[in-house]
Amino acid sequence: MPKIKIDGFQLFCMMVIFMFGSNLLLDIGKSAKQDVWIVNLLSTLFGCLLYFMYISLFKKYPDLPMTGYLRKIWGKYIGGAFSFCYIIYFIYLASRVLRDFEELLISSTYRRTSLITLGICMILVLIYGVHLGVEAFARVACLCFAIIIISLLILNIMFVLGGYTRLENLQPVLGNGWGLVWKELIPTGITVPFGELITFTMILPYLNKKSSAVKVGLFAIIIGGVSLTLNSILLLSVLGPEAVLRSNFPALTAVSYINIADFIERLDTFILVLMIILGFIKISIFFFCAIIGAADLFQMKPSPMFIYLVGGVIFISSIMIAPSYQAHINEGLKIVPYLLHLPFLIGIPILLLLTVYIKQKLKPAAVS
């Protein structure tokens, strides 16, 4: 690995912002209505279990990204094929999140601007950020983390002090039973965003103290999960379950309600900036993982031209991924979790662990 190092706090900031990502924007699991906060809480527990699985593989190969130990475990050809599939998967996820934020900008502020124009502007900034490298990106993530946390705290205080919250919107708890909760939890609630943390198996080898990966990761998951749960409670208490379900971007809708003394109002532009920061960090991490994976698989040094090439693929994919925003959302919630997320985020890591376990059992027998 190149001599690039990030510390535990930088990793923590990147993981928390990554989990916020488009989840604060879309409020994943909102089909569970007033019980969406239960979905987020249970997802956090499953997220910890998934992270233990990812970290178990990392501990066995602490100096290799996932694309590296795939080839160590399954061999040059099978492991190499799956490594290439993960690179494509990271590019695909980057394009999906980019489309989310392109649609956000069009529906909120840039109604007369084309999707292509917004996409080009965003991907050029992303390419520049990735070109600067992991260390520079990690430092920027720490700054963004502070801005996001302080801003969200101020907004939440405004909601409470302005009297916009109605806790009765959270009732009745489990009024529809556990059916909707489990439907939203499996597989979408588990895989997004917690299963997506598999991307950090590509970044963990850069950690300066690899022994802190477990502690930092679990702490980030707990903080991120609790924050997403509180965000769901806040959106429900302000908008109500039906309004949250109908809204494409519940957070943006909720912020538009704020009007304190006819002085503090129209904060939707403010929350829009925060959302763009979240999107920039999440897309960049997927982008980085694709570049790191390709560099490892093909044993090459990433050149600016290659970064531009991958960025171009992400941009074109974000435009072609679906004919409309509704089709994009339906694909992301009804098709992708089953066809892609379950195999790539849960199935393959389990098979990798089983393979490592079997090899360890057979090795002593072969020696004897």
Side-chain angles (χ1 to χ4, degrees), residues 20-230:
F20 284 176
S22 49
N23 287 61
L24 286 180
L25 174 66
L26 301 173
D27 196 24
I28 300 296
K30 61 185 180 182
S31 294
K33 297 184 178 180
Q34 70 269 18
D35 298 322
V36 61
W37 64 274
I38 299 177
V39 175
N40 285 323
L41 206 56
L42 292 175
S43 297
T44 305
L45 297 177
F46 281 101
C48 292
L49 294 176
L50 285 176
Y51 187 72
F52 270 120
M53 179 168 62
Y54 302 151
I55 213 70
S56 297
L57 288 166
F58 167 71
K59 284 182 175 179
K60 297 182 184 300
Y61 305 95
D63 296 318
L64 294 176
M66 188 179 191
T67 50
Y69 59 70
L70 265 166
R71 302 197 305 278
K72 284 280 187 181
I73 297 171
W74 283 348
K76 179 180 178 181
Y77 297 106
I78 296 177
F82 277 99
S83 296
F84 183 74
C85 289
Y86 268 100
I87 294 167
I88 301 300
Y89 179 63
F90 294 143
I91 292 173
Y92 175 75
L93 292 181
S95 66
R96 287 203 62 83
V97 181
L98 179 58
R99 179 63 178 266
D100 285 336
F101 287 91
E102 289 168 348
E103 294 285 354
L104 168 66
L105 289 172
I106 285 178
S107 64
S108 59
T109 307
Y110 299 95
R111 293 183 177 86
R112 296 184 179 181
T113 307
S114 72
L115 204 67
I116 294 175
T117 303
L118 288 173
I120 290 173
C121 293
M122 293 179 73
I123 200 63
L124 287 176
V125 177
L126 288 162
I127 288 171
Y128 176 71
V130 172
H131 178 69
L132 291 177
V134 176
E135 286 182 303
F137 176 78
R139 291 193 292 270
V140 171
C142 292
L143 177 61
C144 292
F145 177 79
I147 294 171
I148 290 166
I149 294 300
I150 293 171
S151 301
L152 291 177
L153 184 60
I154 292 172
L155 284 173
N156 291 343
I157 291 172
M158 286 183 181
F159 278 123
V160 174
L161 295 182
Y164 298 102
T165 55
R166 295 178 177 84
L167 293 179
E168 58 268 22
N169 288 337
L170 301 173
Q171 298 174 344
V173 177
L174 293 175
N176 300 304
W178 283 96
L180 283 178
V181 172
W182 291 118
K183 184 179 178 181
E184 291 301 305
L185 180 66
I186 303 171
T188 307
I190 297 174
T191 54
V192 181
F194 300 104
E196 291 177 335
L197 291 174
I198 197 171
T199 54
F200 284 88
T201 59
M202 307 295 292
I203 296 174
L204 286 176
Y206 295 111
L207 193 61
N208 57 4
K209 294 182 180 178
K210 295 181 174 59
S211 59
S212 65
V214 177
K215 180 174 63 177
V216 171
L218 288 177
F219 187 55
I221 291 171
I222 292 169
I223 295 297
V226 170
S227 299
L228 290 173
T229 302
L230 292 176

